[in-house]
Amino acid sequence: MSVKIGAHVDLSDAVAQAKEIGAEVVQVFLSDPQAWKVPPIDDTVHAGGAEAFREETAAAGIDVYVHAPYVINVASTNNRIRIPSRKLLQQIMTGAGEIGAQGVVVHGGHVTAKDDPDVGFDNWRKAIDALETDVPVLIENTAGGDFSMARRLDRLELLWAAVMRANGAENVGITLDTCHAWAGGIDLATAVDDIRAITGRIDLVHANDSRDTAGSGADRHAHFGEGNIPPELLVGVVEAAGAPVVCETHGDMGPDIAWLRERLPS
């Protein structure tokens, strides 16, 4: 099996970093992940702008994914969060198209204790309805929160049913994060089959070990072999999914990429 493996890197130096760590795929932010503003793409991606970035990554044979800002919560029932979230997501989708990204990873978001979760699911449908993009939206499972849209399988099933009713449903996919699944109480031994039973697909894997125990709800990544997830479960998810892999732990990701490659069938 040949799976493309890479890591999250800096947008301004993506190809050089990818070559240094042996990445075949990269994930980038287009803006500060904790902010609501997106700077002009040509000011941030490359000296030659978005077109030069596309040409450089294509020449290097590197696939690019974009991670949307963490502040986005299109499920929210609060207009002051939901409406800016939709606007920001559209900006990110547009920028992702300009740099030739394969997809945009977006967290599933959440509602509050007093909200009907069905409203959150339908807000996701409306968000997909409103997007103008050909770039896939890759909804990511999340680690914690009792009112999350995509922490547990039952919620993911309802979320998926909602977005499949949207115009543009054909552009919606799934990112499976191993740390999030572990922390969120999803059994990694069956996670790929369980999620595929709901969605029919897994488009991207975020392969990360976890600093915390199963079901903790804590989103704290660890380098492979330094966390609590058994190595065979991490490798098993990647092998079963057969999708591109992005490793996301802070620090040098070269050893993580090599660790995973050594354990996958050639």
Side-chain angles (χ1 to χ4, degrees):
M1 179 184 69
S2 179
V3 170
K4 288 189 175 183
I5 304 172
H8 190 101
V9 300
D10 293 333
L11 178 64
S12 60
D13 199 23
V15 172
Q17 289 183 57
K19 290 178 178 178
E20 183 178 347
I21 61 177
E24 301 160 308
V25 56
V26 296
Q27 178 179 275
V28 297
F29 290 124
L30 297 186
S31 61
D32 180 341
Q34 301 289 358
W36 291 97
K37 293 185 178 180
V38 182
I41 294 298
D42 284 348
D43 292 350
T44 55
V45 299
H46 193 284
E51 184 176 354
F53 182 88
R54 284 199 312 273
E55 292 174 354
E56 186 177 4
T57 52
I62 295 170
D63 289 339
V64 179
Y65 290 84
V66 170
H67 199 303
Y70 303 138
V71 294
I72 289 176
N73 181 11
V74 299
S76 178
T77 60
N78 184 337
N79 290 344
R80 294 181 179 180
I81 297 173
R82 185 181 67 260
I83 293 172
S85 291
R86 288 185 188 172
K87 291 180 179 177
L88 179 55
L89 181 57
Q90 180 63 67
Q91 288 180 284
I92 296 297
M93 300 305 300
T94 300
E98 291 175 4
I99 67 168
Q102 303 295 309
V104 174
V105 178
V106 186
H107 286 178
H110 60 275
V111 293
T112 68
K114 63 180 178 59
D115 293 324
D116 180 352
D118 286 343
V119 177
F121 300 133
D122 198 51
N123 282 341
W124 254 107
R125 177 192 63 79
K126 293 175 181 177
I128 298 299
D129 266 341
L131 281 180
E132 296 181 5
T133 182
D134 293 326
V135 179
V137 177
L138 306 181
I139 300 172
E140 180 179 5
N141 64 300
T142 49
D146 290 336
F147 310 104
S148 298
M149 300 288 96
R151 174 181 178 177
R152 298 186 174 90
L153 294 172
D154 58 342
R155 288 290 182 91
L156 182 60
E157 185 171 8
L158 293 168
L159 172 56
W160 191 254
V163 297
M164 286 299 100
R165 294 193 294 271
N167 294 322
E170 67 277 6
N171 284 332
V172 181
I174 289 290
T175 298
L176 167 57
D177 186 301
T178 57
C179 174
H180 294 179
W182 172 262
I186 294 175
D187 184 356
L188 285 181
T190 59
V192 171
D193 287 343
D194 291 341
I195 291 174
R196 278 214 183 108
I198 295 168
T199 66
R201 60 195 291 169
I202 293 174
D203 300 82
L204 185 68
V205 173
H206 282 173
N208 304 296
D209 207 334
S210 173
R211 290 165 59 186
D212 299 279
T213 56
S216 65
D219 181 10
R220 300 198 302 171
H221 299 180
H223 292 288
F224 297 140
E226 297 179 7
N228 283 289
I229 303 179
E232 65 273 15
L233 289 181
L234 288 165
V235 175
V237 167
V238 172
E239 189 173 359
V245 176
V246 170
C247 304
E248 298 181 302
T249 305
H250 292 300
D252 182 8
M253 296 308 300
D256 287 72
I257 292 172
W259 185 97
L260 199 50
R261 282 208 181 106
E262 289 169 2
R263 287 162 176 78
L264 289 172
S266 55

